[in-house]
Protein backbone atom coordinates (compact mmCIF):
# COMPACT_ATOMS: atom_id res chain seq x y z
CA UNK A 1 0.00 0.00 0.00
CA UNK A 2 1.21 3.50 -0.83
CA UNK A 3 0.86 5.96 2.02
CA UNK A 4 1.29 9.65 1.30
CA UNK A 5 1.38 12.13 4.17
CA UNK A 6 -1.06 15.02 4.17
CA UNK A 7 1.44 17.07 2.29
CA UNK A 8 0.03 19.12 -0.52
CA UNK A 9 0.74 22.68 -1.39
CA UNK A 10 -2.51 24.57 -1.76
CA UNK A 11 -2.73 28.23 -2.64
CA UNK A 12 -5.44 30.66 -3.54
CA UNK A 13 -4.64 33.71 -5.67
CA UNK A 14 -7.31 36.37 -5.70
CA UNK A 15 -9.86 33.96 -4.34
CA UNK A 16 -9.00 30.85 -6.38
CA UNK A 17 -7.78 27.69 -4.67
CA UNK A 18 -5.21 25.34 -6.16
CA UNK A 19 -3.49 22.15 -5.11
CA UNK A 20 0.05 21.39 -6.22
CA UNK A 21 1.24 17.80 -6.01
CA UNK A 22 4.78 16.76 -6.77
CA UNK A 23 5.49 13.07 -6.28
CA UNK A 24 9.20 12.36 -6.10
CA UNK A 25 10.50 8.79 -6.26
CA UNK A 26 13.65 7.71 -4.49
CA UNK A 27 15.16 6.80 -7.85
CA UNK A 28 15.02 10.49 -8.83
CA UNK A 29 12.03 10.41 -11.19
CA UNK A 30 8.97 12.50 -10.46
CA UNK A 31 5.40 13.22 -11.44
CA UNK A 32 3.63 16.52 -10.87
CA UNK A 33 0.16 17.87 -11.34
CA UNK A 34 -1.82 20.95 -10.39
CA UNK A 35 -5.56 21.18 -9.94
CA UNK A 36 -7.20 24.58 -9.87
CA UNK A 37 -11.00 24.53 -9.68
CA UNK A 38 -12.17 27.48 -11.74
CA UNK A 39 -8.63 27.93 -13.14
CA UNK A 40 -7.29 31.18 -11.77
CA UNK A 41 -6.10 33.71 -14.33
CA UNK A 42 -2.36 33.55 -14.81
CA UNK A 43 -2.01 30.07 -13.35
CA UNK A 44 -0.61 27.60 -15.85
CA UNK A 45 -1.32 23.89 -15.28
CA UNK A 46 1.62 21.53 -14.91
CA UNK A 47 2.55 19.08 -17.63
CA UNK A 48 3.31 15.74 -15.96
CA UNK A 49 7.04 14.97 -15.98
CA UNK A 50 6.63 11.21 -15.76
CA UNK A 51 4.26 8.34 -15.14
CA UNK A 52 1.62 8.58 -12.43
CA UNK A 53 2.89 7.33 -9.07
CA UNK A 54 2.26 3.67 -8.35
CA UNK A 55 5.20 2.30 -6.39
CA UNK A 56 5.81 2.07 -2.69
CA UNK A 57 8.93 4.24 -2.79
CA UNK A 58 6.81 7.34 -3.18
CA UNK A 59 7.51 10.46 -1.13
CA UNK A 60 5.80 13.81 -1.44
CA UNK A 61 7.83 16.97 -2.00
CA UNK A 62 7.03 20.48 -3.18
CA UNK A 63 9.47 22.11 -5.62
CA UNK A 64 11.09 25.38 -4.51
CA UNK A 65 13.11 27.91 -6.49
CA UNK A 66 15.06 30.43 -4.40
CA UNK A 67 16.19 33.84 -5.69
CA UNK A 68 18.99 35.77 -3.97
CA UNK A 69 21.55 38.53 -4.42
CA UNK A 70 24.06 37.92 -1.66
CA UNK A 71 25.54 35.51 0.86
CA UNK A 72 22.57 33.15 0.98
CA UNK A 73 22.13 32.60 4.71
CA UNK A 74 18.37 32.28 4.24
CA UNK A 75 18.98 29.82 1.42
CA UNK A 76 21.27 27.80 3.67
CA UNK A 77 18.55 27.54 6.28
CA UNK A 78 16.19 26.15 3.64
CA UNK A 79 18.83 23.79 2.26
CA UNK A 80 19.46 22.40 5.73
CA UNK A 81 15.75 21.93 6.37
CA UNK A 82 15.10 20.39 2.96
CA UNK A 83 17.77 17.74 3.58
CA UNK A 84 15.15 16.02 5.75
CA UNK A 85 12.34 14.40 3.69
CA UNK A 86 9.87 15.28 6.44
CA UNK A 87 10.29 18.99 5.59
CA UNK A 88 8.14 18.41 2.52
CA UNK A 89 10.06 20.45 -0.06
CA UNK A 90 13.06 20.18 -2.37
CA UNK A 91 15.06 23.17 -3.65
CA UNK A 92 15.29 22.52 -7.38
CA UNK A 93 16.93 25.76 -8.52
CA UNK A 94 18.64 28.91 -7.23
CA UNK A 95 18.92 32.12 -9.22
CA UNK A 96 20.65 35.46 -8.77
CA UNK A 97 21.02 38.83 -10.45
CA UNK A 98 24.73 38.86 -9.51
CA UNK A 99 27.60 36.59 -10.47
CA UNK A 100 29.97 35.10 -7.95
CA UNK A 101 27.90 35.60 -4.80
CA UNK A 102 28.22 33.15 -1.93
CA UNK A 103 24.56 32.21 -2.20
CA UNK A 104 25.20 30.61 -5.59
CA UNK A 105 28.23 28.81 -4.20
CA UNK A 106 26.11 27.41 -1.35
CA UNK A 107 23.64 26.02 -3.86
CA UNK A 108 26.39 24.54 -6.04
CA UNK A 109 27.98 22.82 -3.04
CA UNK A 110 24.59 21.28 -2.31
CA UNK A 111 24.23 20.08 -5.91
CA UNK A 112 21.40 22.48 -6.74
CA UNK A 113 21.31 23.95 -10.29
CA UNK A 114 21.98 27.70 -10.42
CA UNK A 115 21.61 30.54 -12.90
CA UNK A 116 22.46 34.23 -13.12
CA UNK A 117 20.50 36.88 -15.01
CA UNK A 118 21.88 40.42 -14.75
CA UNK A 119 19.53 43.28 -15.60
CA UNK A 120 22.21 45.13 -17.56
CA UNK A 121 22.55 42.20 -19.97
CA UNK A 122 19.06 42.85 -21.37
CA UNK A 123 17.75 45.68 -23.56
CA UNK A 124 15.06 46.59 -21.02
CA UNK A 125 13.80 45.72 -17.56
CA UNK A 126 10.79 44.07 -19.21
CA UNK A 127 13.09 41.80 -21.23
CA UNK A 128 14.93 40.83 -18.06
CA UNK A 129 11.66 40.09 -16.29
CA UNK A 130 10.50 37.90 -19.17
CA UNK A 131 13.80 36.00 -19.15
CA UNK A 132 13.64 35.54 -15.38
CA UNK A 133 10.09 34.25 -15.68
CA UNK A 134 11.07 31.75 -18.36
CA UNK A 135 14.12 30.51 -16.46
CA UNK A 136 12.26 30.07 -13.17
CA UNK A 137 9.32 28.40 -14.94
CA UNK A 138 11.71 25.84 -16.45
CA UNK A 139 12.12 24.37 -12.95
CA UNK A 140 8.34 23.97 -12.61
CA UNK A 141 8.30 25.31 -9.05
CA UNK A 142 5.41 25.10 -6.65
CA UNK A 143 6.77 28.07 -4.68
CA UNK A 144 9.36 30.73 -5.47
CA UNK A 145 11.12 32.29 -2.47
CA UNK A 146 12.92 35.63 -2.54
CA UNK A 147 15.67 35.21 0.05
CA UNK A 148 17.56 38.47 -0.15
CA UNK A 149 16.82 39.04 -3.84
CA UNK A 150 17.35 42.77 -4.37
CA UNK A 151 15.42 43.18 -7.62
CA UNK A 152 11.73 43.93 -8.07
CA UNK A 153 10.03 41.55 -10.46
CA UNK A 154 7.59 42.78 -13.09
CA UNK A 155 4.29 41.96 -14.72
CA UNK A 156 5.41 38.80 -16.51
CA UNK A 157 6.80 37.23 -13.35
CA UNK A 158 3.81 38.08 -11.18
CA UNK A 159 1.42 36.79 -13.83
CA UNK A 160 3.20 33.46 -13.84
CA UNK A 161 3.81 33.13 -10.11
CA UNK A 162 1.21 35.34 -8.47
CA UNK A 163 0.18 33.89 -5.12
CA UNK A 164 3.24 31.61 -5.14
CA UNK A 165 6.08 34.13 -4.86
CA UNK A 166 7.15 34.78 -1.25
CA UNK A 167 9.55 37.34 0.18
CA UNK A 168 11.20 37.65 3.58
CA UNK A 169 11.82 41.24 4.72
CA UNK A 170 13.79 42.40 7.74
CA UNK A 171 11.20 44.66 9.32
CA UNK A 172 7.71 44.41 10.75
CA UNK A 173 5.78 45.49 7.70
CA UNK A 174 4.05 47.74 6.85
CA UNK A 175 6.64 49.66 8.88
CA UNK A 176 10.01 50.31 7.25
CA UNK A 177 9.73 48.82 3.76
CA UNK A 178 12.67 49.03 1.38
CA UNK A 179 16.31 48.06 1.61
CA UNK A 180 17.20 49.55 5.03
CA UNK A 181 14.62 48.18 7.46
CA UNK A 182 16.85 47.80 10.56
CA UNK A 183 18.52 51.18 10.01
CA UNK A 184 15.16 52.90 9.60
CA UNK A 185 13.76 51.12 12.67
CA UNK A 186 16.67 52.35 14.80
CA UNK A 187 16.35 55.88 13.47
CA UNK A 188 12.65 55.92 14.37
CA UNK A 189 13.35 54.71 17.89
CA UNK A 190 11.14 51.60 17.94
CA UNK A 191 11.55 49.17 20.82
CA UNK A 192 10.63 46.07 18.84
CA UNK A 193 11.87 45.07 15.37
CA UNK A 194 11.60 41.84 13.42
CA UNK A 195 10.96 40.14 10.09
CA UNK A 196 7.95 39.60 7.85
CA UNK A 197 7.20 36.81 5.37
CA UNK A 198 4.68 37.90 2.76
CA UNK A 199 3.18 37.11 -0.64
CA UNK A 200 4.67 39.44 -3.24
CA UNK A 201 2.32 41.67 -5.24
CA UNK A 202 2.80 44.72 -7.46
CA UNK A 203 3.79 46.99 -4.57
CA UNK A 204 7.10 47.36 -2.72
CA UNK A 205 7.02 45.11 0.37
CA UNK A 206 3.26 45.55 0.33
CA UNK A 207 1.76 42.09 -0.26
CA UNK A 208 -0.41 40.00 2.08
CA UNK A 209 1.45 39.09 5.28
CA UNK A 210 1.94 35.39 6.01
CA UNK A 211 3.88 35.57 9.28
CA UNK A 212 5.93 37.91 11.45
CA UNK A 213 8.53 37.40 14.15
CA UNK A 214 9.80 39.98 16.62
CA UNK A 215 13.11 40.78 18.30
CA UNK A 216 13.72 43.42 20.96
CA UNK A 217 15.73 46.52 20.15
CA UNK A 218 18.52 46.96 22.71
CA UNK A 219 19.73 50.35 23.90
CA UNK A 220 23.22 49.76 22.52
CA UNK A 221 22.12 48.28 19.18
CA UNK A 222 23.78 49.36 15.96
CA UNK A 223 22.41 48.67 12.51
CA UNK A 224 24.79 45.71 12.28
CA UNK A 225 23.90 44.09 15.61
CA UNK A 226 20.17 44.53 15.09
CA UNK A 227 20.39 43.18 11.55
CA UNK A 228 22.22 40.05 12.71
CA UNK A 229 19.71 39.39 15.49
CA UNK A 230 16.83 39.80 13.07
CA UNK A 231 18.51 37.37 10.64
CA UNK A 232 18.52 34.61 13.27
CA UNK A 233 14.78 34.99 13.86
CA UNK A 234 14.13 35.46 10.14
CA UNK A 235 15.82 32.18 9.20
CA UNK A 236 13.85 30.26 11.81
CA UNK A 237 10.58 31.80 10.66
CA UNK A 238 11.26 31.13 6.99
CA UNK A 239 11.94 27.44 7.58
CA UNK A 240 9.01 26.95 9.94
CA UNK A 241 6.43 28.76 7.82
CA UNK A 242 7.48 27.52 4.37
CA UNK A 243 7.52 24.02 5.80
CA UNK A 244 4.00 24.44 7.14
CA UNK A 245 2.81 25.89 3.82
CA UNK A 246 4.07 22.98 1.75
CA UNK A 247 2.88 20.32 4.19
CA UNK A 248 -0.49 21.81 5.12
CA UNK A 249 -1.37 24.13 2.24
CA UNK A 250 -2.42 27.76 2.44
CA UNK A 251 -4.99 30.19 1.14
CA UNK A 252 -4.82 33.87 0.21
CA UNK A 253 -8.09 35.78 0.41
CA UNK A 254 -7.57 39.50 -0.10
CA UNK A 255 -4.94 40.44 2.47
CA UNK A 256 -5.53 37.41 4.69
CA UNK A 257 -3.22 34.40 4.42
CA UNK A 258 -4.30 31.25 6.23
CA UNK A 259 -2.33 28.07 6.89
CA UNK A 260 -4.71 25.34 8.15
Amino acid sequence: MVTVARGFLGAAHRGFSCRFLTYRYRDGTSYSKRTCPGQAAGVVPFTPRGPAPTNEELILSARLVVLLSGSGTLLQALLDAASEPSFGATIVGVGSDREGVEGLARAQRAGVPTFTLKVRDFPSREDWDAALTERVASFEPDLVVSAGFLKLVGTSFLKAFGGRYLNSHNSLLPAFPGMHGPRDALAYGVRVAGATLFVVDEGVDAGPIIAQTTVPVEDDDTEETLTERIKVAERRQLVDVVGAMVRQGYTVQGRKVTIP
Side-chain angles (χ1 to χ4, degrees):
M1 173 182 287
V2 176
T3 302
V4 180
R6 184 184 173 232
F8 67 85
L9 176 61
H13 178 47
R14 294 176 181 169
F16 290 89
S17 295
C18 299
R19 286 187 176 185
F20 306 90
L21 290 168
T22 299
Y23 301 93
R24 179 165 54 86
Y25 298 102
R26 298 188 193 280
D27 65 3
T29 60
S30 63
Y31 167 83
S32 296
K33 64 180 180 179
R34 177 186 300 152
T35 59
C36 299
Q39 192 60 56
V43 176
V44 181
F46 276 136
T47 300
R49 292 190 294 273
T54 57
N55 72 34
E56 295 182 1
E57 294 288 52
L58 177 68
I59 56 176
L60 186 64
S61 184
R63 297 170 63 85
L64 305 185
V65 168
V66 178
L67 302 179
L68 53 80
S69 296
S71 64
T73 57
L74 288 173
L75 167 67
Q76 189 64 58
L78 289 172
L79 286 169
D80 293 343
S83 66
E84 296 293 332
S86 60
F87 181 64
T90 301
I91 299 174
V92 297
V94 173
S96 180
D97 62 313
R98 302 178 181 181
E99 293 179 336
V101 296
E102 175 61 18
L104 292 176
R106 290 177 189 270
Q108 291 159 2
R109 289 194 294 267
V112 178
T114 64
F115 65 90
T116 302
L117 292 173
K118 295 181 288 186
V119 174
R120 67 172 179 265
D121 290 341
F122 294 86
S124 70
R125 190 64 176 256
E126 291 75 18
D127 291 320
W128 172 82
D129 187 62
L132 179 67
T133 302
E134 182 178 2
R135 184 65 63 87
V136 171
S138 71
F139 293 98
E140 297 184 338
D142 299 321
L143 281 179
V144 182
V145 179
S146 170
F149 188 53
L150 301 181
K151 290 292 184 290
L152 296 177
V153 299
T155 303
S156 295
F157 196 90
L158 290 176
K159 183 178 180 181
F161 302 109
R164 299 189 285 133
Y165 181 38
L166 315 182
N167 187 24
S168 184
H169 180 70
N170 59 359
S171 79
L172 295 174
L173 296 172
F176 314 120
M179 295 181 64
H180 303 289
R183 184 189 69 184
D184 295 342
L186 283 174
Y188 202 82
V190 300
R191 304 310 302 168
V192 176
T196 302
L197 184 67
F198 64 96
V199 179
V200 179
D201 63 8
E202 296 84 354
V204 177
D205 297 333
I209 291 172
I210 304 168
Q212 292 181 304
T213 185
T214 62
V215 300
V217 177
E218 307 293 347
D219 290 339
D220 58 351
D221 261 331
T222 64
E223 180 181 355
E224 291 74 23
T225 61
L226 181 58
T227 296
E228 288 306 311
R229 200 158 60 254
I230 290 173
K231 283 182 178 180
V232 173
E234 185 179 20
R235 290 193 289 267
R236 183 168 56 246
Q237 173 175 260
L238 183 65
V239 167
D240 290 347
V241 177
V242 169
M245 292 172 77
V246 299
R247 292 189 301 269
Q248 300 166 221
Y250 70 103
T251 61
V252 182
Q253 297 287 343
R255 292 204 57 83
K256 184 176 182 180
V257 181
T258 302
I259 302 173

